[in-house]
Amino acid sequence: MEVHPSESITADDVNKRPITLTLLPKLTAKVNFASAQNGVAILKSLAVENTAVETVTDVVITMTSTPGFVREKTWRIDRVAPESLISLQDLDTPLDTIILGGLDEAEWGQITFTLTAKEQDIQTFDYATEMLARDEWGGLDE
């Protein structure tokens, strides 16, 4: 939105500007029953970046999985300052031992992150995760 010196910006104009947040998750590509038993984190890092020149308030990030091999989690952020990056510290996202323990062969699951601000959907991020059978191992890098 361009404003000329003779014009003024109203609160409604500011509220109509697009919210420019980016969600930056880093996840493990493979999980198995042993991962769940040993409390191995599937979520390695999670950050939100605000590239706008305005503060964004009432930010909510929700993580879900299909099937429910990771417990649903919600993070709430009061405000993200202009041109800043917030790295979340609470990355505890327990894996479901019942689902992972019952796998006889590898299957694909999906983790979905939904980012909202002021109850407006900003971004949805889907991430495919390989759920290994109980007797399979993901390797050293996982």
Side-chain angles (χ1 to χ4, degrees):
M1 166 182 285
E2 190 173 314
V3 178
H4 299 283
S6 61
E7 298 176 357
S8 63
I9 299 175
T10 67
D12 286 338
D13 292 333
V14 171
N15 290 335
K16 290 177 187 171
R17 290 183 184 172
I19 297 172
T20 54
L21 292 178
T22 304
L23 188 62
L24 304 167
K26 183 177 178 188
L27 298 127
T28 300
K30 299 175 184 179
V31 295
N32 66 3
F33 180 67
S35 304
Q37 281 188 314
N38 293 303
V40 174
I42 190 167
L43 183 59
K44 300 297 184 189
S45 67
L46 182 60
V48 178
E49 183 177 25
N50 180 5
T51 58
V53 295
E54 292 100 9
T55 297
V56 179
T57 59
D58 303 321
V59 177
V60 178
I61 303 166
T62 304
M63 182 183 86
T64 58
S65 65
T66 306
F69 63 98
V70 181
R71 292 196 192 130
E72 183 174 323
K73 182 152 186 149
T74 300
W75 295 267
R76 298 183 189 286
I77 304 169
D78 292 332
R79 60 187 299 270
V80 182
E83 300 176 350
S84 69
L85 178 78
I86 293 180
S87 293
L88 302 177
Q89 300 305 308
D90 177 17
L91 303 178
D92 186 30
T93 50
L95 296 167
D96 189 304
T97 55
I98 295 172
I99 289 176
L100 294 172
L103 294 176
D104 293 327
E105 60 184 32
E107 294 181 20
W108 285 97
Q110 180 171 294
I111 295 177
T112 301
F113 289 92
T114 305
L115 174 64
T116 62
K118 298 180 185 177
E119 299 180 7
Q120 174 186 348
D121 286 342
I122 305 299
Q123 182 181 21
T124 299
F125 179 86
D126 292 318
Y127 187 83
T129 302
E130 189 173 13
M131 301 181 302
L132 300 174
R134 187 180 176 113
D135 60 350
E136 291 180 308
W137 180 49
L140 292 175
D141 63 336
E142 295 299 327

